[in-house]
């Protein structure tokens, strides 16, 4: 299972998004409809450099945004998604992605090798129709939920279709304990 993050920069009442310049790759597979879709800043967990998934979020933000600096304590988790690729008939996802809002950071994102120039959107104006398949359905729910974070499972099929299963909501009171436990899961995987 691959671990990854997506971080959405928030500037006052706006969300900063950028289009991806390349396809997202998971191992040898590339997600065909990921290039030139709007997304936050993120990427895969690196065993050699990241102690936990929050390290991944901060490192990827810096790399993909052209130097924006954040702090792990300022990450606000808004969702977790388990992705299952076609022909995966197990209970183990191919990819586990943690989604965050980052509203305290230093610097301004710029165009990079991985992302086009950033654009700011009011939440009500986010171009969900220009995001990857399941993201256009999951991410609005994550932004609307103000009491904790949401968990989803997304099953992809050979036809290109997918099925989304909303697993539940983790409220803010127990969210801190889950973030601590995530570190153990990351180290075990």
């Amino acid at each position: 299972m691959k671990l990854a993050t997506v971080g959405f920069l928030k500037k006052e009442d706006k969300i900063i998004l950028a289009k991806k310049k390349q396809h997202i790759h998971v191992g040898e597979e590339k997600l065909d409809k990921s290039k030139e879709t709007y997304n936050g800043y993120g990427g895969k967990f690196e065993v050699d450099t990241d102690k936990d998934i929050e390290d991944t979020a901060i490192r990827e933000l810096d790399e993909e945004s052209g130097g924006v600096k954040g702090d792990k304590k300022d990450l606000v988790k808004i969702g977790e998604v388990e992705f299952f690729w076609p022909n995966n008939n197990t209970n183990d996802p191919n990819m586990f992605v943690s989604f965050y809002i980052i509203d305290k950071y230093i610097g301004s994102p710029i165009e990079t090798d991985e992302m086009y120039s950033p654009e700011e959107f009011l939440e009500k104006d986010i171009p969900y129709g220009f995001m990857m398949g399941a993201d256009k359905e999951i991410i609005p729910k994550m932004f609307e939920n103000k009491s904790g974070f949401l968990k989803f499972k997304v099953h992809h099929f050979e036809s290109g279709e997918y099925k989304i299963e909303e697993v539940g909501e983790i409220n803010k009171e127990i969210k801190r304990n889950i973030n601590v436990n995530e570190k153990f899961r990351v180290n075990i995987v």
Side-chain angles (χ1 to χ4, degrees), residues 1 77-84 91 93-99 134-145 148-156 162-170:
M1 170 176 62
K77 183 174 273 191
I78 59 172
E80 291 180 345
V81 181
E82 295 179 350
F83 289 97
F84 296 83
N91 288 326
N94 297 86
M95 181 171 259
F96 182 92
V97 183
S98 296
F99 291 80
D135 286 0
K136 61 181 86 172
E137 295 179 49
I138 292 172
I139 293 171
K141 291 180 180 183
M142 289 181 191
F143 284 148
E144 289 168 8
N145 181 31
F149 68 88
L150 299 176
K151 295 183 71 144
F152 298 91
K153 289 184 181 182
V154 177
H155 299 269
H156 288 272
Y162 54 86
K163 178 180 99 175
I164 298 173
E165 176 185 347
E166 190 167 334
V167 178
E169 176 183 339
I170 308 299

Side-chain angles (χ1 to χ4, degrees), residues 49-61:
T49 58
D50 301 335
K51 293 179 186 144
D52 54 39
I53 200 68
E54 290 90 0
D55 280 347
T56 305
I58 296 302
R59 178 184 51 75
E60 287 285 348
L61 170 64

Side-chain angles (χ1 to χ4, degrees), residues 53-119:
I53 200 68
E54 290 90 0
D55 280 347
T56 305
I58 296 302
R59 178 184 51 75
E60 287 285 348
L61 170 64
D62 181 32
E63 291 174 8
E64 287 198 345
S65 70
V68 171
K69 305 294 183 207
D71 192 305
K72 289 173 18 170
K73 70 177 176 31
D74 296 321
L75 295 172
V76 178
K77 183 174 273 191
I78 59 172
E80 291 180 345
V81 181
E82 295 179 350
F83 289 97
F84 296 83
W85 302 151
N87 302 319
N88 178 352
N89 298 317
T90 72
N91 288 326
D92 297 324
N94 297 86
M95 181 171 259
F96 182 92
V97 183
S98 296
F99 291 80
Y100 300 95
I101 291 282
I102 308 160
D103 61 359
K104 294 178 186 166
Y105 53 90
I106 297 170
S108 297
I110 59 172
E111 183 169 337
T112 63
D113 291 343
E114 297 181 52
M115 305 291 274
Y116 288 105
S117 294
E119 299 177 50

